[in-house]
Amino acid sequence: MYKSIGKGMYKNRYLYLLLLPAVLYYALFQYVPMYGILLAFKEFRIRAGILRSPWVGWDNFADLVAQSDFWQAFDNTVIISLGRILIEFPAAIALALLINEVTRQRLKRFYQTVYTFPHFISWVIISGIMLNFLGDAGVLNQILAAAGLEKQAIMTDPGWFRPIVFLSNMWKEVGWSAIIYLAAIAGINPELYEAAYVDGANRFQQLRAITWPSIRGTAAILLILAVGNAMNGGFEQIFNLYNPGVYQTGDIIDTYVYRSAFADGASFGVTTAVGLFKAVLNFALLYIANFMVKRLGGEGLV
Amino acid sequence: MEKAVSGQERPAKQAVTRRGTFSAADVIIHAVLILLTIGMIFPFYNVILMSFSSSVVISKQAVYLIPTVFDFSAYRYIFHEPRFLNALLVTVFVTVIGTLVNMTVTVTGAYALSKQGYPGRKLIMSAILFTMFFNGGLIPFYLTMKNYGLINNLLVMILPVAVNTFYMIICIAFFRTLPAALEESAKIDGANELQILYIIVIPISKPMIATIALFYAVDRWNEWWFGVLFMTDVRFLPLQALLRELLTNYQQLLTSIDISSVVSQNAGLQPEMLKMAVLVVSALPIVCLYPFLQKYFSKGVMIGSIKG
């Protein structure tokens, strides 16, 4: 294209100038921290810093797999992520299909506005709202008391924690997730529906033959991304909702890392090893999901 | 669509938009959607109600639906509380300066990345996308920020989040849809890329830029996590982190800001009201911004969400 790379670069010098802030950001705040991953194979000494701390090989990982708390967090992460994919993923599609059946544009917009609103509220605020609702003196317990029933300590009950995680996340994000499907549906050629109507297809048949195939690709990509994030488990939500009473069912890898490093004073080497373990697993899952979707004839992410 | 209406046949288009028909299916669909609407609104409504009604009134009724008492002492109190005002100031600062930084870095970067055919673009793009799927994790991130001297520094809530890759991809996708002819004519007149961006591209991209700015503003306003992680000095805590403390370490906070004396001074003021009042104030700007936000985001999200 250009006679030499140097000439090409000079011609585009203003583009590089524009790129500079973003490149600096990614270098300083995304790539520089990555070298800290070395800590997973070192014993961190504050005075020595990351680079001069002594190497310990795979010792940190050996420590990790010996801890039952880690495996509890690992199991919880897998179960919570799997639950999200099985419950919340189809819910967003179902909601989009439901909203799509509303014919009056104004009403449709109203529903969308209401459902997407909680997405913009922080988990801190939502946890406060939930305490107000489900806490010891909350609305639910007032109703139970008025009905002459026993009070429930829902927020500190390990048996209730996961259902609450799924429900509250659905409440917060289902409308937002549905928007992407609604946008995909809006792109469908209306003539397809006209043709289907002329052929005598009813509403449900149109949904199966036209709407669903048109959003299947979007669903596949979102599914790949969800699987690729499976080991994350939603830190902000869990961190704001959990308490020592529900660690056994609610502690995920991210909250375990935070707690063991900052509250319990575990070694930074071991906690970095947890983070690396998680990141590698996420990456592997992303590739497996992508491969499977392609294998099944869908369009993959990469 | 001027088809003759013969017999029971309706015009096809009407059938498609289903105007004027209201079947059993519609009843079920609307019933579900209305129930969901109530489920979405009621928790907010209840929190607002609680924030200005004393618990004495609330405990008398099983479900407190219609306000009978208006007691604004909780609001009066928090706006006289220095810690709250300080946290509010921190959050406003982070939101204003943070959003400015976000927009500068995102728009310049996205504009350059929307252009093709210069050396290194593909490499930079892949390096950026890679960070969406892989990062160093919490501990390396924490140590790096510590090395940069960002502990107890307001910049920690601005610089490490200067770009949201997802928003930048939306921006890149949008810039690609702009007609090339506009910029070419400016180029012939001798304008460079900086001038083109400033004089031509930004003015015609206002709706998209406003959307992204509002997204960023909401994110900065909602900042709490870096406050918890990096601020050991309470003077640097953002509003949401203070609210979190209020909700989780209420007893501790009680002794530190001596709410008990305030509560005893104001007979009607209850701790629950106080929590809910801070909660309402923390969510208020988003409630106010939301109508503007909502107008644009569905389109914007569609452009950028699938595949960069």
Side-chain angles (χ1 to χ4, degrees), chain A:
Chain A
M1 213 169 318
Y2 297 103
K3 274 190 189 128
S4 70
I5 288 183
K7 224 174 180 178
M9 287 180 74
Y10 180 75
K11 259 199 130 168
N12 292 292
R13 62 192 181 282
Y14 289 108
L15 286 181
Y16 293 110
L17 192 64
L18 288 169
L19 267 178
L20 192 66
V23 169
L24 270 178
Y25 164 77
Y26 282 97
L28 287 176
F29 294 103
Q30 298 282 345
Y31 281 91
V32 169
M34 281 186 206
Y35 96 101
I37 292 173
L38 290 178
L39 269 187
F41 306 97
K42 290 189 165 200
E43 191 196 309
F44 183 61
R45 307 237 169 98
I46 289 183
R47 279 164 188 274
I50 295 172
L51 287 178
R52 276 176 293 164
S53 289
W55 292 96
V56 293
W58 294 90
D59 284 7
N60 290 330
F61 290 91
D63 280 0
L64 194 64
V65 294
Q67 284 174 22
S68 61
D69 279 6
F70 165 71
W71 288 111
Q72 182 187 299
F74 178 82
D75 290 349
N76 287 338
T77 312
V78 172
I79 294 168
I80 287 174
S81 287
L82 207 65
R84 282 189 204 286
I85 291 169
L86 291 177
I87 302 167
E88 294 165 18
F89 193 76
I93 298 177
L95 182 67
L97 295 174
L98 271 178
I99 296 175
N100 186 51
E101 292 298 321
V102 176
T103 45
R104 265 194 231 143
Q105 285 305 311
R106 277 200 162 177
L107 209 55
K108 206 172 182 172
R109 256 204 308 272
F110 169 76
Y111 284 136
Q112 276 192 63
T113 307
V114 172
Y115 300 157
T116 43
F117 176 67
H119 169 79
F120 296 95
I121 300 294
S122 75
W123 272 113
V124 177
I125 295 179
I126 291 191
S127 77
I129 293 176
M130 287 172 68
L131 274 175
N132 177 49
F133 227 83
L134 305 172
D136 288 341
V139 177
L140 187 79
N141 274 329
Q142 282 173 30
I143 296 172
L144 287 177
L149 295 166
E150 224 172 294
K151 279 195 172 187
Q152 300 283 322
I154 292 177
M155 298 294 279
T156 49
D157 182 343
W160 273 106
F161 190 73
R162 284 176 196 154
I164 281 189
V165 163
F166 297 138
L167 257 173
S168 60
N169 197 55
M170 203 143 78
W171 183 79
K172 187 174 189 288
E173 303 293 350
V174 74
W176 182 252
S177 315
I179 283 185
I180 295 173
Y181 296 108
L182 280 167
I185 293 170
I188 300 172
N189 185 350
E191 280 176 25
L192 286 174
Y193 289 106
E194 283 160 24
Y197 177 77
V198 171
D199 287 347
N202 66 28
R203 244 158 117 166
F204 188 67
Q205 287 166 326
Q206 289 178 14
L207 185 126
R208 264 187 43 188
I210 303 168
T211 315
W212 170 240
S214 312
I215 60 172
R216 210 165 42 192
T218 308
I221 286 170
L222 293 178
L223 187 65
I224 295 171
L225 290 174
V227 172
N229 270 318
M231 298 314 290
N232 291 345
F235 174 78
E236 296 214 353
Q237 179 191 16
I238 306 280
F239 190 68
N240 280 302
L241 292 182
Y242 84 158
N243 50 64
V246 297
Y247 283 167
Q248 67 182 97
T249 52
D251 197 19
I252 56 169
I253 293 179
D254 283 339
T255 51
Y256 170 77
V257 169
Y258 174 79
R259 227 161 13 84
S260 45
F262 293 98
D264 304 345
S267 110
F268 274 9
V270 175
T271 40
T272 307
V274 188
L276 180 61
F277 176 84
K278 191 196 85 171
V280 169
L281 222 52
N282 265 340
F283 222 74
L285 285 170
L286 183 77
Y287 266 87
I288 293 169
N290 193 47
F291 176 78
M292 296 292 274
V293 165
K294 274 188 173 166
R295 193 72 194 274
L296 295 169
E299 207 185 332
L301 185 71
V302 270

Side-chain angles (χ1 to χ4, degrees), chain B residues 41-74:
Chain B
I41 292 173
F42 184 68
F44 289 106
Y45 172 77
N46 195 261
V47 163
I48 296 167
L49 217 59
M50 295 290 182
S51 69
F52 58 74
S53 39
S54 69
S55 54
V56 185
V57 185
I58 296 162
S59 59
K60 279 186 196 149
Q61 285 156 291
V63 192
Y64 190 62
L65 278 179
I66 298 147
T68 50
V69 185
F70 292 90
D71 179 352
F72 293 98
S73 52

